[in-house]
Amino acid sequence: MLKWKKWIPAAAAVILLLSSVPFLGRLPWFDEVLTIGWLRFDFLRIPFLYNIPNNHIVYTMMLWIWSECSAWFSADTLPVMRSLSLLGGCTAVWLIGRHLTARFGLLSGLCCTFLLAVSGTMSLFSTALRGYAFALLFCFAAFLAAERWKVRGLADRYGALYFLFCYLAVGVMPTDLFALEAGALFFLPRIFRSRRELFRWILLAGIPVVSLLLFYAPIFGKLLKASRLREGWFSWEGAYWNFYGTWAFLFLPVLVFAIPGAVMLWKSHRELRLRLLCCLLILVLPLLLAAVAQVPPFPRVFFPFFGIYLVILAFWLSPLTHGKNLFLRSAVMLFSLLWVVLAGSMTPHVSQKMFGEPRKDDLLHSYPVCAEFRPDWTAQAIRKLIGDGAVFVDFDADPPSLSMLLVAGGFPEERILYDRPDFGPVMRLEPSDLIVCGGKEAFERIRKRFSLEGEYQLLFDEGMQKIYRKKNLSASGEQIPSF
């Protein structure tokens, strides 16, 4: 059994690798197009490209190096570029699985790690041209370094490693500060042992803040300006429901048994009660972002919490998986195995029932991995329909993905209209302009915004991006083609 225990983290990483390979060639979505754009700049300019809060600086710099090196041996750049995130995701799964099996036993580690590895959320971020996989990796690596540092001397090398991983994590995303503080909260109960432990915990909690200030000091003005753009989710309730609902669905088999396990720990181990309270505080810590954020956050910024949340689940689950009740242990194992097999096919339907249409970019089944996300189809239709007019792309219809494909095909960039932070919002539309949006509700909002008169018709309806234009009007005077 001990021999197999050592292979569980590697097996989970291999499962993530195999399940993610089909997504390596998918077309880039909104933020990924921006990331690709930043790679055109010199390496040393990347940290200063922060006009909007989308540049995952450390990841973008890593991707720049990765792309330069991979260009020597591969012409198919998109899958190779995505493989960097896959490397980070597989490493994160291996590191999490290794820790959970070592600390909480074979069954807890196996169930939690495999549920993470097969989740669509993990596959999405492990193939994204974004820094979320590395954010999870760096935050969890910082947690592991903190755990080792707390039992070593203050001058031990793990203190330096903790600072390094905190620095890299906040360099990927400033909001990783919250996940790092969640890791520090896990060790809060140790402060009552001695003043030395109190001082060390203050260091654990303070180093992420210092790391954030040091990393963004050269561009602090840009960071503040970008934070005032008020880009965010649709509502506070929707953002948190999406995050917690996704997490509960992905890890439902262990969550069902972890809650009674936590009750058992509370009743039978009084010395663990403070640790259990700290775990509850960690679980609600994302809610504290509401105190500093001006707009509802995108649920994906909380993805780095998944590592510490799995530690909590495995901790709460341990009374059942280490107990003598064979029925409970078998139930945990069978329920988790069933979820591993069925959750993938259930995810799209569950996501739509829980959160609505995938174009809302939810954490469970985001639109970039949906079969309906085909900006190449939309770009082809625009070329056939455009005539002499321009095309307006609504913000929620993913303008960068369309713009990249159109420009790559020789379409004039000045004829692609969409609201941009650097140029400002579009002020008016011509009757001959095409309108690309997410559907009828979005079109009615656009009609009201630009005071569009007359009857408009839907010309293209083959995916998430719909094309409208004023009825019986074409720039060439020819019959409007249908799709």
Side-chain angles (χ1 to χ4, degrees):
M1 186 66 72
L2 291 177
K3 181 179 179 181
W4 285 105
K5 182 178 178 179
K6 296 179 180 179
W7 287 100
I8 287 175
V14 170
I15 289 174
L16 173 62
L17 174 66
L18 296 176
S19 62
S20 300
V21 165
F23 300 111
L24 289 175
R26 59 184 169 85
L27 292 171
W29 61 287
F30 198 114
D31 286 357
E32 291 180 328
V33 177
L34 300 180
T35 301
I36 294 172
W38 289 318
L39 298 181
R40 297 195 299 263
F41 293 90
D42 292 336
F43 179 76
L44 295 179
R45 282 199 61 193
I46 291 176
F48 301 94
L49 303 173
Y50 211 83
N51 295 323
I52 54 176
N54 290 75
N55 188 2
H56 294 175
I57 294 175
V58 166
Y59 170 76
T60 306
M61 297 177 77
M62 294 171 61
L63 185 62
W64 191 96
I65 297 173
W66 183 268
S67 299
E68 289 294 311
C69 295
S70 64
W72 290 91
F73 61 86
S74 176
D76 195 2
T77 57
L78 189 59
V80 174
M81 288 170 65
R82 292 191 186 280
S83 63
L84 174 64
S85 290
L86 186 53
L87 175 63
C90 289
T91 304
V93 166
W94 175 80
L95 206 60
I96 292 171
R98 188 169 178 265
H99 177 74
L100 296 184
T101 52
R103 285 295 305 271
F104 304 108
L106 173 66
L107 187 54
S108 292
L110 183 141
C111 294
C112 292
T113 309
F114 275 61
L115 287 171
L116 175 65
V118 301
S119 67
T121 303
M122 194 68 209
S123 291
L124 168 66
F125 293 131
S126 294
T127 55
L129 296 176
R130 305 292 289 152
Y132 298 105
F134 280 95
L136 174 64
L137 173 60
F138 293 146
C139 286
F140 197 77
F143 173 78
L144 296 183
E147 184 181 51
R148 285 158 177 75
W149 191 30
K150 69 181 177 61
V151 297
R152 308 285 186 99
L154 287 175
D156 188 79
R157 68 182 185 277
Y158 282 108
L161 284 174
Y162 178 66
F163 172 79
L164 173 63
F165 289 130
C166 288
Y167 187 79
L168 292 173
V170 296
V172 175
M173 295 190 298
T175 51
D176 282 350
L177 173 66
F178 287 84
L180 294 169
E181 295 296 350
L185 278 175
F186 193 80
F187 305 111
L188 183 63
R190 295 181 62 90
I191 67 173
F192 297 101
R193 297 184 179 183
S194 65
R195 291 183 178 179
R196 181 182 179 185
E197 291 292 346
L198 173 61
F199 176 70
R200 186 174 296 183
W201 187 84
I202 292 174
L203 286 178
L204 284 179
I207 285 176
V209 178
V210 173
S211 300
L212 179 71
L213 295 176
L214 287 175
F215 189 93
Y216 290 98
I219 58 167
F220 195 70
K222 287 188 174 183
L223 180 66
L224 291 179
K225 185 177 180 180
S227 67
R228 299 191 188 105
L229 292 176
R230 303 184 67 84
E231 292 185 357
W233 195 246
F234 302 93
S235 68
W236 290 100
E237 298 83 0
Y240 287 118
W241 163 234
N242 189 266
F243 169 62
Y244 285 111
T246 295
W247 178 70
F249 172 77
L250 294 179
F251 303 105
L252 183 62
V254 291
L255 183 61
V256 166
F257 294 97
I259 293 176
V263 175
M264 293 172 60
L265 287 171
W266 180 273
K267 291 181 177 180
S268 58
H269 300 279
R270 301 185 66 176
E271 69 278 7
L272 292 178
R273 290 184 176 180
L274 182 57
R275 172 63 57 81
L276 292 169
L277 290 175
C278 287
C279 289
L280 290 176
L281 182 58
I282 291 170
L283 291 176
V284 301
L285 189 61
L287 298 174
L288 298 182
L289 187 60
V292 296
Q294 297 179 346
V295 293
F298 288 98
R300 57 180 179 264
V301 304
F302 300 122
F303 176 67
F305 275 84
F306 274 36
I308 187 64
Y309 277 19
L310 284 177
V311 171
I312 293 174
L313 284 182
F315 170 45
W316 289 1
L317 192 63
S318 57
L320 302 182
T321 57
H322 285 90
K324 297 181 179 180
N325 192 321
L326 183 60
F327 174 77
L328 283 177
R329 297 175 65 183
S330 300
V332 174
M333 183 67 181
L334 291 175
F335 193 12
S336 298
L337 180 61
L338 183 66
W339 212 247
V340 165
V341 174
L342 297 179
S345 60
M346 294 166 53
T347 294
H349 179 72
V350 171
S351 175
Q352 188 168 4
K353 288 293 184 182
M354 292 176 66
F355 311 123
E357 294 297 325
R359 68 172 53 92
K360 291 184 177 179
D361 192 17
D362 73 74
L363 191 59
L364 180 59
H365 188 60
S366 189
Y367 75 86
V369 294
C370 292
E372 295 81 8
F373 179 62
R374 293 303 304 264
D376 51 336
W377 292 354
T378 311
Q380 181 182 7
I382 289 172
R383 293 190 189 98
K384 294 181 179 180
L385 293 166
I386 190 64
D388 296 325
V391 54
F392 171 76
V393 188
D394 186 37
F395 183 85
D396 293 334
D398 200 335
S401 69
L402 272 180
S403 179
M404 184 188 72
L405 292 172
L406 288 170
V407 172
F411 192 85
E413 188 173 5
E414 62 271 14
R415 294 172 65 187
I416 307 172
L417 310 176
Y418 60 95
D419 300 329
R420 296 173 54 171
D422 47 354
F423 291 104
V426 177
M427 301 306 296
R428 64 186 298 268
L429 297 180
E430 299 296 335
S432 60
D433 290 343
L434 296 176
I435 297 174
V436 181
C437 58
K440 186 175 181 180
E441 183 178 341
F443 174 73
E444 291 301 325
R445 174 172 46 81
I446 294 169
R447 175 195 282 272
K448 183 178 180 180
R449 168 185 168 181
F450 293 104
S451 301
L452 301 178
E453 298 179 352
E455 189 176 354
Y456 281 72
Q457 66 181 126
L458 177 64
L459 302 179
F460 176 81
D461 187 16
E462 295 295 330
M464 291 183 178
Q465 296 160 320
K466 321 294 184 183
I467 302 178
Y468 289 82
R469 186 161 59 191
K470 199 164 187 178
K471 194 170 184 179
N472 299 325
L473 177 67
S474 70
S476 62
E478 300 176 356
Q479 183 179 356
I480 296 175
S482 59
F483 291 84

